[in-house]
Amino acid sequence: MIVYSLKQSPEGHWSVCRSGFSLFSNLRLGAAINLAREVARDEHARSGRAVCVEMPGLESSIRLAQYARPEMMLQAAAA
């Protein structure tokens, strides 16, 4: 699964990251979420691979979006 993540800078701005590399930075939270979802949707549409968007939570990551083929979502729910 491909994971896009949101990271907050010490200054309070947000970045959209993949594999630890910042793709977009200096965004407000709402814009970062929208952009990450758009990029993830596009990645899934082009590649057919499972893609999700996560942001850090207090105790674990919060999944904001997930794009996968229906059979993959059923397998994940059964696990």
Side-chain angles (χ1 to χ4, degrees), residues 44-55:
H44 173 68
R46 283 186 301 103
S47 70
R49 296 171 64 188
V51 184
C52 72
V53 176
E54 297 181 343
M55 73 178 288

Side-chain angles (χ1 to χ4, degrees), residues 2 6 16 19 22 27 36 45 49 51-53 57 62 66 73:
I2 299 168
L6 300 178
V16 176
S19 302
S22 177
L27 301 167
R49 296 171 64 188
V51 184
C52 72
V53 176
I62 300 166
Q66 181 169 335
M73 293 184 80

